[in-house]
Amino acid sequence: MFGIILAIHIVIAFVLIVLVLIQHGKGADAGASFGGSSQSFFGSRGTATFLSRTTAALATLFFITSLSLAYVASKEVKGYQSVVTEQQAPSKEGDARSDIPVVPN
């Protein structure tokens, strides 16, 4: 399950990067009014709307897959024991097992 969500997450990330790089800034439309052509397959304003909506949808999916990956990873870790939880019993003064001095109460 983790591998499938991770693969989808990576594909969405790459597509999102490409979509953001394809989009042009708001100032790019001003250059089209001085002789550049702004007509495209989606119309004069349709491309920006299509790309913006697609980017927003992919950003939402990216967010959902990020949360899903965190949830699945936290459920898979439950079976393992942490190294930090294992504690050594306090040693007595003069014990050769520990180099750490004992602090009296």
Side-chain angles (χ1 to χ4, degrees):
M1 184 71 169
F2 185 79
I4 294 169
I5 297 173
L6 183 63
I8 293 170
H9 187 72
I10 291 172
V11 169
I12 290 172
F14 282 126
V15 173
L16 194 58
I17 290 169
V18 169
L19 278 177
V20 168
L21 291 176
I22 286 175
Q23 294 180 25
H24 54 79
K26 293 187 184 273
D29 290 335
S33 65
F34 293 108
S37 174
S38 63
Q39 295 294 325
S40 66
F41 179 73
F42 296 104
S44 63
R45 191 66 190 145
T47 305
T49 304
F50 174 75
L51 289 177
S52 298
R53 289 184 180 174
T54 306
T55 304
L58 283 176
T60 303
L61 287 174
F62 184 82
F63 182 72
I64 291 170
T65 56
S66 297
L67 291 176
S68 300
L69 283 171
Y71 179 76
V72 171
S74 70
K75 291 297 179 189
E76 288 182 2
V77 173
K78 294 274 183 177
Y80 299 105
Q81 183 180 7
S82 175
V83 179
V84 179
T85 59
E86 188 176 320
Q87 296 178 357
Q88 183 180 4
S91 61
K92 298 177 184 174
E93 292 180 344
D95 193 1
R97 290 185 299 161
S98 175
D99 293 338
I100 302 172
V102 176
V103 178
N105 291 336

Coordinates of all heavy atoms in Angstrom, one line a residue:
M1 N 0.8 -1.2 0.0 CA 0.0 0.0 0.0 C 0.9 1.3 0.0 O 0.6 2.2 -0.7 CB -0.9 0.0 1.2 CG -1.9 1.1 1.3 SD -3.1 0.9 0.1 CE -4.3 2.1 0.6
F2 N 1.9 1.2 0.8 CA 2.8 2.4 0.9 C 3.5 2.7 -0.5 O 3.6 3.8 -0.9 CB 3.9 2.1 2.0 CG 4.8 3.3 2.2 CD1 4.3 4.4 3.0 CD2 6.0 3.4 1.7 CE1 5.1 5.5 3.3 CE2 6.9 4.4 1.9 CZ 6.4 5.5 2.7
G3 N 3.9 1.6 -1.1 CA 4.6 1.7 -2.4 C 3.7 2.3 -3.5 O 4.1 3.1 -4.3
I4 N 2.4 1.9 -3.5 CA 1.5 2.4 -4.5 C 1.2 3.9 -4.3 O 1.3 4.7 -5.2 CB 0.1 1.6 -4.4 CG1 0.4 0.2 -4.8 CG2 -0.9 2.2 -5.3 CD1 -0.8 -0.8 -4.6
I5 N 1.0 4.3 -3.0 CA 0.7 5.7 -2.7 C 2.0 6.5 -3.0 O 1.9 7.6 -3.5 CB 0.3 5.9 -1.3 CG1 -1.0 5.2 -1.0 CG2 0.1 7.4 -0.9 CD1 -1.5 5.1 0.4
L6 N 3.2 6.0 -2.7 CA 4.4 6.7 -3.0 C 4.6 6.9 -4.5 O 5.0 8.0 -4.9 CB 5.6 5.9 -2.4 CG 6.9 6.6 -2.5 CD1 7.0 7.9 -1.8 CD2 8.0 5.7 -2.0
A7 N 4.3 5.9 -5.3 CA 4.4 6.0 -6.7 C 3.5 7.1 -7.3 O 3.9 7.9 -8.1 CB 4.2 4.7 -7.4
I8 N 2.2 7.1 -6.8 CA 1.3 8.1 -7.2 C 1.7 9.5 -6.8 O 1.6 10.4 -7.6 CB -0.1 7.8 -6.6 CG1 -0.7 6.5 -7.3 CG2 -1.1 8.9 -6.9 CD1 -1.9 5.9 -6.6
H9 N 2.3 9.6 -5.6 CA 2.8 10.8 -5.0 C 3.9 11.4 -5.9 O 3.9 12.6 -6.2 CB 3.2 10.6 -3.6 CG 3.6 11.8 -2.9 ND1 2.7 12.8 -2.4 CD2 4.8 12.3 -2.5 CE1 3.3 13.7 -1.8 NE2 4.6 13.5 -1.8
I10 N 4.8 10.6 -6.3 CA 5.9 11.0 -7.1 C 5.5 11.5 -8.5 O 5.9 12.5 -9.0 CB 7.0 9.9 -7.2 CG1 7.7 9.7 -5.9 CG2 8.0 10.2 -8.3 CD1 8.6 8.5 -5.8
V11 N 4.5 10.7 -9.1 CA 4.0 11.1 -10.4 C 3.3 12.4 -10.3 O 3.5 13.3 -11.2 CB 3.1 10.0 -11.0 CG1 2.3 10.5 -12.2 CG2 3.9 8.7 -11.3
I12 N 2.5 12.6 -9.3 CA 1.8 13.9 -9.1 C 2.8 15.0 -8.9 O 2.6 16.1 -9.5 CB 0.8 13.8 -7.9 CG1 -0.4 12.9 -8.3 CG2 0.3 15.2 -7.5 CD1 -1.3 12.6 -7.1
A13 N 3.9 14.8 -8.2 CA 4.9 15.8 -8.0 C 5.5 16.2 -9.3 O 5.7 17.5 -9.5 CB 5.9 15.3 -7.0
F14 N 5.9 15.3 -10.1 CA 6.5 15.6 -11.4 C 5.6 16.4 -12.3 O 5.9 17.4 -12.9 CB 7.1 14.4 -12.1 CG 8.4 13.9 -11.6 CD1 8.5 12.6 -11.2 CD2 9.4 14.8 -11.4 CE1 9.7 12.1 -10.7 CE2 10.6 14.3 -10.9 CZ 10.8 13.0 -10.5
V15 N 4.3 15.9 -12.4 CA 3.3 16.6 -13.2 C 3.0 18.0 -12.7 O 2.9 19.0 -13.5 CB 2.0 15.8 -13.3 CG1 0.9 16.5 -14.1 CG2 2.3 14.4 -14.0
L16 N 3.0 18.2 -11.4 CA 2.8 19.5 -10.8 C 3.9 20.4 -11.1 O 3.7 21.6 -11.4 CB 2.6 19.3 -9.3 CG 2.1 20.5 -8.5 CD1 0.7 20.9 -9.0 CD2 2.0 20.1 -7.0
I17 N 5.1 19.9 -11.1 CA 6.3 20.8 -11.4 C 6.2 21.2 -12.9 O 6.4 22.4 -13.2 CB 7.6 20.0 -11.2 CG1 7.8 19.8 -9.7 CG2 8.8 20.7 -11.8 CD1 8.9 18.9 -9.3
V18 N 5.9 20.3 -13.8 CA 5.8 20.6 -15.2 C 4.7 21.7 -15.4 O 4.8 22.6 -16.2 CB 5.5 19.4 -16.0 CG1 5.2 19.7 -17.5 CG2 6.8 18.5 -16.0
L19 N 3.5 21.5 -14.8 CA 2.4 22.4 -15.0 C 2.8 23.8 -14.5 O 2.4 24.8 -15.1 CB 1.2 21.9 -14.2 CG 0.3 20.9 -15.0 CD1 -0.8 20.4 -14.1 CD2 -0.2 21.5 -16.3
V20 N 3.5 23.9 -13.4 CA 3.9 25.2 -12.8 C 4.9 25.9 -13.8 O 4.8 27.1 -14.0 CB 4.4 25.1 -11.4 CG1 5.1 26.4 -11.0 CG2 3.3 24.7 -10.4
L21 N 5.8 25.1 -14.4 CA 6.7 25.7 -15.3 C 6.1 26.1 -16.6 O 6.6 27.0 -17.3 CB 7.9 24.7 -15.5 CG 8.8 24.5 -14.3 CD1 9.8 23.4 -14.6 CD2 9.5 25.7 -13.9
I22 N 5.1 25.4 -17.0 CA 4.4 25.7 -18.3 C 3.6 27.1 -18.2 O 3.6 27.8 -19.1 CB 3.4 24.6 -18.7 CG1 4.2 23.4 -19.2 CG2 2.4 25.1 -19.8 CD1 3.3 22.2 -19.5
Q23 N 3.1 27.3 -17.0 CA 2.3 28.5 -16.9 C 3.1 29.8 -17.0 O 4.3 29.8 -16.6 CB 1.6 28.5 -15.5 CG 0.6 27.4 -15.4 CD -0.1 27.5 -14.0 OE1 -0.2 28.5 -13.4 NE2 -0.6 26.3 -13.6
H24 N 2.5 30.8 -17.5 CA 3.2 32.1 -17.6 C 2.6 33.0 -16.6 O 1.5 32.9 -16.2 CB 3.2 32.7 -19.0 CG 1.8 32.8 -19.6 ND1 0.9 33.8 -19.2 CD2 1.1 32.1 -20.4 CE1 -0.2 33.7 -19.8 NE2 -0.2 32.6 -20.6
G25 N 3.4 34.0 -16.2 CA 3.0 35.0 -15.2 C 1.9 35.9 -15.7 O 1.6 36.0 -16.9
K26 N 1.3 36.7 -14.8 CA 0.3 37.6 -15.1 C 0.8 38.7 -16.0 O 0.0 39.3 -16.8 CB -0.4 38.1 -13.9 CG -1.1 37.1 -13.1 CD -1.9 37.7 -11.9 CE -2.5 36.6 -11.1 NZ -3.8 36.2 -11.6
G27 N 2.0 39.1 -16.0 CA 2.6 40.1 -16.8 C 2.8 39.7 -18.2 O 3.0 40.5 -19.1
A28 N 2.7 38.4 -18.5 CA 3.0 37.9 -19.9 C 1.8 38.3 -20.8 O 2.0 38.4 -22.0 CB 3.2 36.4 -19.9
D29 N 0.6 38.5 -20.3 CA -0.5 38.9 -21.1 C -0.4 40.3 -21.6 O -0.9 40.6 -22.7 CB -1.8 38.8 -20.3 CG -2.2 37.3 -20.0 OD1 -1.7 36.5 -20.8 OD2 -2.9 37.1 -19.0
A30 N 0.4 41.2 -20.9 CA 0.6 42.5 -21.4 C 1.4 42.6 -22.7 O 1.2 43.4 -23.6 CB 1.2 43.4 -20.3
G31 N 2.3 41.7 -22.8 CA 3.1 41.6 -24.0 C 2.4 41.2 -25.2 O 2.7 41.5 -26.4
A32 N 1.3 40.4 -25.0 CA 0.5 39.9 -26.1 C -0.3 41.1 -26.8 O -0.6 41.0 -27.9 CB -0.5 38.8 -25.7
S33 N -0.6 42.1 -26.0 CA -1.4 43.2 -26.5 C -0.6 44.1 -27.4 O -1.2 44.9 -28.2 CB -2.0 44.0 -25.4 OG -1.0 44.6 -24.6
F34 N 0.7 44.0 -27.4 CA 1.6 44.8 -28.3 C 2.1 44.0 -29.5 O 3.2 44.2 -29.9 CB 2.8 45.3 -27.5 CG 2.4 46.3 -26.4 CD1 2.5 45.9 -25.1 CD2 2.0 47.6 -26.7 CE1 2.1 46.8 -24.1 CE2 1.7 48.5 -25.7 CZ 1.7 48.1 -24.4
G35 N 1.2 43.2 -30.0 CA 1.5 42.5 -31.3 C 1.7 41.0 -31.1 O 1.6 40.3 -32.1
G36 N 1.8 40.4 -29.9 CA 1.9 39.0 -29.8 C 0.5 38.4 -29.9 O -0.5 39.0 -29.6
S37 N 0.5 37.1 -30.3 CA -0.8 36.5 -30.4 C -1.1 35.7 -29.2 O -0.2 34.9 -28.7 CB -0.7 35.5 -31.6 OG -1.9 34.7 -31.7
S38 N -2.3 35.9 -28.6 CA -2.6 35.2 -27.4 C -3.7 34.1 -27.7 O -4.2 33.5 -26.7 CB -3.2 36.2 -26.4 OG -4.3 36.8 -26.9
Q39 N -4.0 33.8 -29.0 CA -4.9 32.8 -29.3 C -4.3 31.4 -29.2 O -3.1 31.2 -29.6 CB -5.5 32.9 -30.7 CG -6.3 34.2 -30.9 CD -7.6 34.2 -30.1 OE1 -8.2 33.1 -30.0 NE2 -8.0 35.3 -29.6
S40 N -5.0 30.5 -28.6 CA -4.5 29.1 -28.5 C -5.6 28.1 -28.6 O -6.7 28.5 -29.0 CB -3.8 28.9 -27.1 OG -4.7 29.0 -26.1
F41 N -5.4 26.9 -28.4 CA -6.4 25.9 -28.5 C -7.5 26.1 -27.5 O -8.7 25.8 -27.8 CB -5.7 24.5 -28.2 CG -6.7 23.3 -28.3 CD1 -7.2 22.9 -29.5 CD2 -7.1 22.7 -27.2 CE1 -8.1 21.9 -29.6 CE2 -8.0 21.6 -27.2 CZ -8.5 21.2 -28.4
F42 N -7.2 26.6 -26.4 CA -8.3 26.8 -25.3 C -8.9 28.2 -25.4 O -9.7 28.6 -24.5 CB -7.7 26.6 -23.9 CG -7.2 25.2 -23.7 CD1 -5.8 24.9 -23.8 CD2 -8.1 24.2 -23.5 CE1 -5.4 23.6 -23.6 CE2 -7.6 22.9 -23.3 CZ -6.3 22.6 -23.3
G43 N -8.5 29.0 -26.3 CA -9.0 30.4 -26.4 C -8.0 31.4 -25.8 O -6.9 31.0 -25.3
S44 N -8.3 32.6 -25.8 CA -7.4 33.6 -25.3 C -7.1 33.5 -23.8 O -6.0 33.8 -23.3 CB -7.8 35.0 -25.6 OG -9.1 35.3 -25.0
R45 N -8.1 33.2 -23.0 CA -8.0 33.1 -21.6 C -8.2 31.7 -21.1 O -8.0 31.4 -19.9 CB -9.0 34.0 -20.9 CG -8.9 34.3 -19.5 CD -7.6 35.1 -19.2 NE -7.5 35.1 -17.7 CZ -6.3 35.0 -17.1 NH1 -5.2 35.0 -17.8 NH2 -6.2 35.0 -15.8
G46 N -8.6 30.8 -21.9 CA -8.9 29.4 -21.5 C -7.7 28.6 -21.1 O -7.8 27.8 -20.2
T47 N -6.5 28.9 -21.6 CA -5.3 28.2 -21.2 C -5.0 28.4 -19.8 O -4.7 27.5 -19.0 CB -4.1 28.6 -22.1 OG1 -4.5 28.4 -23.5 CG2 -2.9 27.7 -21.8
A48 N -5.0 29.7 -19.4 CA -4.7 30.0 -18.0 C -5.7 29.4 -17.0 O -5.3 28.9 -16.0 CB -4.6 31.5 -17.8
T49 N -6.9 29.4 -17.4 CA -7.9 28.9 -16.5 C -7.8 27.4 -16.4 O -7.8 26.8 -15.3 CB -9.4 29.2 -17.0 OG1 -9.4 30.6 -17.2 CG2 -10.4 28.7 -16.1
F50 N -7.6 26.7 -17.6 CA -7.4 25.3 -17.6 C -6.1 24.9 -16.8 O -6.2 23.9 -15.9 CB -7.2 24.8 -19.0 CG -6.9 23.3 -19.1 CD1 -7.9 22.3 -18.9 CD2 -5.6 22.9 -19.5 CE1 -7.6 21.0 -18.9 CE2 -5.3 21.6 -19.5 CZ -6.3 20.6 -19.3
L51 N -5.0 25.5 -17.0 CA -3.8 25.2 -16.3 C -3.9 25.5 -14.8 O -3.4 24.8 -13.9 CB -2.6 25.9 -16.9 CG -2.2 25.5 -18.3 CD1 -1.0 26.3 -18.8 CD2 -1.7 24.0 -18.2
S52 N -4.6 26.6 -14.4 CA -4.7 27.0 -13.0 C -5.6 25.9 -12.3 O -5.3 25.5 -11.2 CB -5.4 28.3 -12.9 OG -4.6 29.3 -13.5
R53 N -6.7 25.5 -12.9 CA -7.6 24.6 -12.3 C -6.9 23.2 -12.2 O -7.0 22.5 -11.2 CB -8.9 24.4 -13.1 CG -9.7 25.7 -12.9 CD -11.0 25.5 -13.6 NE -11.8 26.7 -13.4 CZ -13.0 26.9 -13.9 NH1 -13.5 26.0 -14.7 NH2 -13.7 28.0 -13.7
T54 N -6.2 22.8 -13.2 CA -5.4 21.5 -13.2 C -4.4 21.5 -12.1 O -4.2 20.6 -11.4 CB -4.8 21.2 -14.5 OG1 -5.8 21.3 -15.5 CG2 -4.2 19.8 -14.6
T55 N -3.7 22.7 -12.0 CA -2.6 22.8 -11.0 C -3.2 22.7 -9.6 O -2.7 22.1 -8.7 CB -1.9 24.1 -11.1 OG1 -1.3 24.2 -12.4 CG2 -0.7 24.3 -10.1
A56 N -4.4 23.4 -9.4 CA -5.0 23.4 -8.1 C -5.5 22.0 -7.7 O -5.4 21.5 -6.6 CB -6.2 24.3 -8.1
A57 N -6.0 21.2 -8.7 CA -6.5 19.9 -8.5 C -5.3 19.0 -8.1 O -5.4 18.1 -7.2 CB -7.2 19.3 -9.7
L58 N -4.2 19.1 -8.8 CA -3.0 18.3 -8.6 C -2.4 18.7 -7.2 O -1.9 17.8 -6.5 CB -2.0 18.4 -9.7 CG -2.4 17.6 -10.9 CD1 -1.3 17.9 -12.0 CD2 -2.4 16.1 -10.6
A59 N -2.5 19.9 -6.9 CA -1.9 20.3 -5.6 C -2.8 19.7 -4.4 O -2.2 19.3 -3.4 CB -1.9 21.8 -5.4
T60 N -4.1 19.6 -4.6 CA -4.9 19.0 -3.6 C -4.6 17.5 -3.5 O -4.6 17.0 -2.4 CB -6.4 19.2 -4.0 OG1 -6.7 20.6 -4.1 CG2 -7.4 18.6 -3.0
L61 N -4.5 16.8 -4.7 CA -4.1 15.4 -4.7 C -2.7 15.2 -4.0 O -2.5 14.2 -3.3 CB -4.1 14.9 -6.1 CG -5.5 14.7 -6.7 CD1 -5.3 14.2 -8.2 CD2 -6.3 13.6 -6.0
F62 N -1.8 16.1 -4.3 CA -0.5 16.0 -3.6 C -0.6 16.1 -2.1 O 0.0 15.3 -1.4 CB 0.4 17.1 -4.2 CG 1.8 17.0 -3.7 CD1 2.7 16.2 -4.3 CD2 2.3 17.8 -2.6 CE1 4.0 16.1 -3.8 CE2 3.6 17.8 -2.2 CZ 4.5 16.9 -2.8
F63 N -1.4 17.0 -1.7 CA -1.7 17.2 -0.2 C -2.3 15.9 0.4 O -1.9 15.4 1.4 CB -2.6 18.4 0.0 CG -2.8 18.7 1.4 CD1 -1.8 19.2 2.3 CD2 -4.1 18.5 2.0 CE1 -2.1 19.5 3.6 CE2 -4.3 18.7 3.3 CZ -3.3 19.2 4.1
I64 N -3.3 15.3 -0.3 CA -4.0 14.1 0.2 C -3.0 12.9 0.2 O -3.0 12.2 1.2 CB -5.2 13.8 -0.7 CG1 -6.3 14.9 -0.5 CG2 -5.7 12.4 -0.5 CD1 -7.4 14.8 -1.5
T65 N -2.2 12.8 -0.8 CA -1.2 11.7 -0.8 C -0.1 11.9 0.2 O 0.3 10.9 0.8 CB -0.6 11.5 -2.2 OG1 0.1 12.7 -2.6 CG2 -1.6 11.0 -3.2
S66 N 0.2 13.1 0.5 CA 1.2 13.4 1.6 C 0.6 12.9 2.9 O 1.3 12.3 3.7 CB 1.5 14.9 1.7 OG 2.2 15.3 0.5
L67 N -0.6 13.3 3.2 CA -1.2 12.9 4.4 C -1.4 11.4 4.5 O -1.2 10.7 5.6 CB -2.6 13.6 4.6 CG -2.6 15.1 4.9 CD1 -4.0 15.6 4.9 CD2 -1.8 15.4 6.1
S68 N -1.8 10.8 3.4 CA -1.9 9.3 3.3 C -0.6 8.6 3.6 O -0.6 7.6 4.3 CB -2.5 8.9 2.0 OG -3.7 9.5 1.7
L69 N 0.5 9.1 3.0 CA 1.8 8.5 3.3 C 2.2 8.6 4.7 O 2.7 7.6 5.3 CB 2.8 9.2 2.4 CG 2.9 8.8 0.9 CD1 3.8 9.7 0.2 CD2 3.3 7.3 0.8
A70 N 1.9 9.7 5.3 CA 2.2 9.9 6.8 C 1.4 8.9 7.6 O 1.9 8.3 8.6 CB 1.9 11.3 7.2
Y71 N 0.1 8.8 7.3 CA -0.8 7.8 8.0 C -0.3 6.4 7.9 O -0.2 5.7 8.9 CB -2.2 8.0 7.6 CG -3.2 7.1 8.3 CD1 -3.6 7.4 9.6 CD2 -3.7 6.0 7.6 CE1 -4.5 6.5 10.2 CE2 -4.6 5.1 8.3 CZ -4.9 5.4 9.6 OH -5.8 4.6 10.2
V72 N -0.1 6.0 6.7 CA 0.3 4.6 6.4 C 1.7 4.3 7.1 O 1.9 3.2 7.7 CB 0.4 4.3 4.9 CG1 1.0 2.9 4.6 CG2 -1.0 4.3 4.3
A73 N 2.6 5.3 7.0 CA 3.9 5.1 7.6 C 3.8 5.0 9.1 O 4.5 4.2 9.8 CB 4.9 6.2 7.2
S74 N 2.9 5.7 9.7 CA 2.8 5.7 11.2 C 2.2 4.3 11.6 O 2.5 3.8 12.7 CB 1.9 6.8 11.7 OG 0.6 6.6 11.3
K75 N 1.3 3.8 10.8 CA 0.7 2.5 11.1 C 1.7 1.3 10.9 O 1.7 0.3 11.7 CB -0.5 2.2 10.2 CG -1.7 3.1 10.6 CD -2.2 2.9 12.0 CE -3.3 3.8 12.3 NZ -3.7 3.8 13.7
E76 N 2.6 1.4 10.0 CA 3.6 0.4 9.8 C 4.7 0.4 10.8 O 5.3 -0.7 11.1 CB 4.2 0.5 8.4 CG 3.3 0.2 7.3 CD 3.9 0.3 5.9 OE1 5.2 0.6 5.8 OE2 3.3 0.1 4.9
V77 N 4.9 1.5 11.5 CA 6.0 1.6 12.5 C 5.6 1.0 13.8 O 6.4 0.7 14.6 CB 6.5 3.1 12.6 CG1 7.4 3.3 13.7 CG2 7.1 3.5 11.3
K78 N 4.3 0.9 14.0 CA 3.8 0.4 15.3 C 4.4 -0.9 15.8 O 4.5 -1.2 16.9 CB 2.2 0.3 15.3 CG 1.6 1.6 15.1 CD 1.4 2.3 16.4 CE 0.6 3.6 16.2 NZ 0.3 4.3 17.4
G79 N 4.7 -1.8 14.8 CA 5.2 -3.1 15.2 C 6.6 -3.1 15.7 O 7.1 -4.1 16.2
Y80 N 7.3 -2.1 15.5 CA 8.8 -2.1 15.8 C 9.0 -1.4 17.2 O 8.2 -0.6 17.6 CB 9.6 -1.3 14.8 CG 9.5 -1.9 13.4 CD1 8.7 -1.3 12.4 CD2 10.2 -3.0 13.1 CE1 8.6 -1.8 11.2 CE2 10.1 -3.5 11.8 CZ 9.3 -3.0 10.9 OH 9.2 -3.5 9.6
Q81 N 10.0 -1.9 17.9 CA 10.3 -1.3 19.2 C 11.4 -0.3 19.0 O 12.4 -0.5 18.3 CB 10.8 -2.4 20.1 CG 11.1 -1.9 21.5 CD 11.5 -3.0 22.4 OE1 11.8 -4.1 22.0 NE2 11.7 -2.7 23.7
S82 N 11.3 0.8 19.7 CA 12.2 1.9 19.6 C 13.5 1.6 20.4 O 13.4 0.9 21.4 CB 11.6 3.2 20.1 OG 12.6 4.2 20.2
V83 N 14.6 2.0 19.9 CA 15.9 1.8 20.6 C 15.9 2.7 21.9 O 16.5 2.3 22.9 CB 17.1 2.2 19.7 CG1 18.4 2.0 20.4 CG2 17.0 1.3 18.4
V84 N 15.3 3.8 21.8 CA 15.3 4.7 23.0 C 14.5 4.2 24.2 O 14.9 4.5 25.3 CB 14.7 6.1 22.5 CG1 14.7 7.1 23.7 CG2 15.5 6.6 21.3
T85 N 13.5 3.4 24.0 CA 12.7 3.0 25.1 C 13.4 1.9 25.9 O 13.0 1.7 27.1 CB 11.3 2.3 24.6 OG1 11.6 1.2 23.7 CG2 10.5 3.4 23.9
E86 N 14.3 1.3 25.4 CA 15.1 0.3 26.2 C 16.1 1.0 27.1 O 17.0 1.7 26.6 CB 15.8 -0.7 25.2 CG 16.4 -1.9 25.9 CD 17.0 -2.8 24.9 OE1 16.5 -3.1 23.9 OE2 18.1 -3.3 25.2
Q87 N 15.9 0.8 28.4 CA 16.7 1.5 29.3 C 17.6 0.5 30.1 O 17.1 -0.6 30.5 CB 15.9 2.4 30.3 CG 15.2 3.5 29.6 CD 14.3 4.3 30.6 OE1 14.3 3.9 31.7 NE2 13.7 5.3 30.1
Q88 N 18.7 0.9 30.5 CA 19.6 0.1 31.3 C 19.3 0.4 32.7 O 19.1 1.5 33.1 CB 21.1 0.4 31.0 CG 22.0 -0.5 31.7 CD 23.5 -0.1 31.4 OE1 23.7 0.8 30.6 NE2 24.4 -0.9 31.9
A89 N 19.3 -0.7 33.5 CA 19.1 -0.5 35.0 C 20.2 0.3 35.6 O 21.3 0.2 35.2 CB 19.0 -1.9 35.7
P90 N 19.9 1.2 36.5 CA 20.9 2.0 37.1 C 21.9 1.1 37.9 O 21.6 0.2 38.5 CB 20.2 2.9 38.1 CG 18.8 2.3 38.3 CD 18.6 1.4 37.1
S91 N 23.2 1.4 37.6 CA 24.3 0.6 38.3 C 24.6 1.2 39.6 O 24.4 2.3 40.0 CB 25.5 0.7 37.4 OG 26.0 2.0 37.2
K92 N 25.1 0.3 40.4 CA 25.5 0.7 41.8 C 26.9 1.4 41.7 O 27.6 1.3 40.8 CB 25.6 -0.5 42.7 CG 24.3 -1.2 42.8 CD 24.5 -2.5 43.6 CE 23.1 -3.2 43.7 NZ 23.2 -4.5 44.3
E93 N 27.2 2.1 42.8 CA 28.5 2.8 42.8 C 29.6 1.7 42.9 O 29.5 0.7 43.5 CB 28.6 3.6 44.1 CG 27.7 4.8 44.1 CD 27.8 5.7 45.4 OE1 28.4 5.2 46.3 OE2 27.4 6.8 45.3
G94 N 30.6 2.0 42.1 CA 31.7 1.1 42.0 C 31.5 -0.1 41.0 O 32.3 -1.0 40.9
D95 N 30.4 -0.1 40.4 CA 30.1 -1.2 39.4 C 30.9 -1.0 38.1 O 31.0 0.1 37.6 CB 28.6 -1.2 39.1 CG 28.2 -2.5 38.3 OD1 29.0 -3.3 38.1 OD2 27.0 -2.6 38.0
A96 N 31.5 -2.0 37.6 CA 32.4 -1.9 36.5 C 31.6 -1.9 35.2 O 32.2 -1.6 34.1 CB 33.4 -3.1 36.5
R97 N 30.3 -2.0 35.2 CA 29.5 -2.0 33.9 C 29.4 -0.7 33.3 O 29.1 -0.5 32.1 CB 28.1 -2.6 34.2 CG 28.2 -4.1 34.5 CD 26.8 -4.7 34.6 NE 26.1 -4.0 35.7 CZ 24.8 -4.0 35.8 NH1 24.0 -4.6 35.0 NH2 24.2 -3.4 36.9
S98 N 29.4 0.4 34.1 CA 29.2 1.7 33.6 C 30.3 2.7 34.0 O 30.8 2.6 35.0 CB 27.8 2.2 34.2 OG 27.6 3.5 33.8
D99 N 30.6 3.5 33.0 CA 31.6 4.6 33.2 C 30.9 5.9 33.7 O 31.5 6.9 34.0 CB 32.4 4.9 32.0 CG 33.2 3.7 31.6 OD1 33.5 2.9 32.5 OD2 33.6 3.6 30.4
I100 N 29.5 5.9 33.7 CA 28.8 7.1 34.1 C 28.7 7.1 35.6 O 28.3 6.2 36.2 CB 27.4 7.0 33.5 CG1 27.5 6.9 32.0 CG2 26.6 8.3 33.9 CD1 26.2 6.7 31.3
P101 N 29.1 8.3 36.2 CA 29.0 8.3 37.7 C 27.6 8.4 38.1 O 26.7 8.9 37.4 CB 29.7 9.6 38.0 CG 29.7 10.4 36.7 CD 29.7 9.5 35.6
V102 N 27.3 7.9 39.3 CA 26.0 7.9 39.9 C 25.8 9.1 40.7 O 26.6 9.4 41.5 CB 25.7 6.6 40.7 CG1 24.4 6.6 41.4 CG2 25.9 5.4 39.9
V103 N 24.7 9.8 40.5 CA 24.4 11.0 41.3 C 23.6 10.7 42.5 O 22.5 10.1 42.3 CB 23.6 12.1 40.4 CG1 23.3 13.3 41.2 CG2 24.5 12.4 39.1
P104 N 24.0 11.0 43.7 CA 23.2 10.6 44.9 C 22.0 11.5 45.0 O 22.0 12.6 44.5 CB 24.2 10.9 46.0 CG 25.2 11.8 45.5 CD 25.3 11.6 44.0
N105 N 21.0 10.9 45.5 CA 19.7 11.7 45.7 C 19.8 12.7 46.8 O 20.2 12.6 47.8 CB 18.5 10.7 46.0 CG 18.3 9.9 44.7 OD1 18.6 10.3 43.6 ND2 17.7 8.7 44.9

